[in-house]
Amino acid sequence: MNTIILATDGSTYSDEAARYLVASPLLNPDFVVHVVHCEPQVSGDVESFIGKADVDAWHHEESGKAMRSVVDILRSGNVNYECHELTGFTPEKIVNYAASVNATAIVLGSHHRSPVVNALMGSVSGRILAHAPCPVLVV
């Protein structure tokens, strides 16, 4: 089985990446799409105040919301998929996950921010492109 990572942040850009995969002649029945969403780690102070179980529940809820529309698109296109929730620094977690499953490719949507904004905030897609262990398709 070949593995494609579809990274989603719940945006319409991620939905477009999912639609691209559904319509792509490159995606055949040998592929499984691993839908991944990454929530930032909360500080230890927050976790100790709220509690790990509540933080984990919040991460699960947020990841579910972020993956919902992408999963609906893949399901309607009869694409095999699995969902995976990650926590931490998004580019690092996605790159590490791709390496751990020996991914064939990573697919993600781009927000098309200006170079100035990317320089100030950083670009998730740029960091993934720089460190990915496999080809990256930015839609």
Side-chain angles (χ1 to χ4, degrees):
M1 250 323 143
N2 292 306
T3 302
I4 292 179
I5 306 298
L6 174 58
T8 182
D9 60 1
S11 69
T12 57
Y13 306 105
S14 297
D15 292 350
E16 287 304 314
R19 285 186 191 95
Y20 176 84
L21 279 177
V22 168
S24 176
L26 300 175
L27 191 63
N28 63 49
D30 289 344
F31 282 96
V32 173
V33 175
H34 287 225
V35 178
V36 299
H37 176 259
C38 189
E39 278 294 318
Q41 190 71 32
V42 298
S43 73
D45 293 337
V46 171
E47 193 170 277
S48 65
F49 180 73
I50 295 175
K52 182 173 177 12
D54 288 336
V55 171
D56 289 346
W58 178 78
H59 280 142
H60 177 69
E61 181 180 344
E62 292 302 308
S63 286
K65 287 180 201 175
M67 291 189 275
R68 187 172 298 127
S69 61
V70 165
V71 165
D72 290 344
I73 292 165
L74 296 175
R75 188 180 295 129
S76 70
N78 294 316
V79 173
N80 295 323
Y81 69 90
E82 299 175 3
C83 292
H84 302 277
E85 301 171 5
L86 308 174
T87 304
F89 183 58
T90 300
E92 177 184 343
K93 291 296 182 171
I94 291 171
V95 166
N96 289 344
Y97 183 79
S100 75
V101 297
N102 198 26
T104 304
I106 299 171
V107 178
L108 49 99
S110 173
H111 287 259
H112 307 292
R113 292 187 178 113
S114 73
V116 172
V117 173
N118 278 342
L120 294 173
M121 293 177 44
S123 164
V124 170
S125 57
R127 288 183 173 125
I128 291 172
L129 278 165
H131 301 286
C134 58
V136 177
L137 174 62
V138 180
V139 177

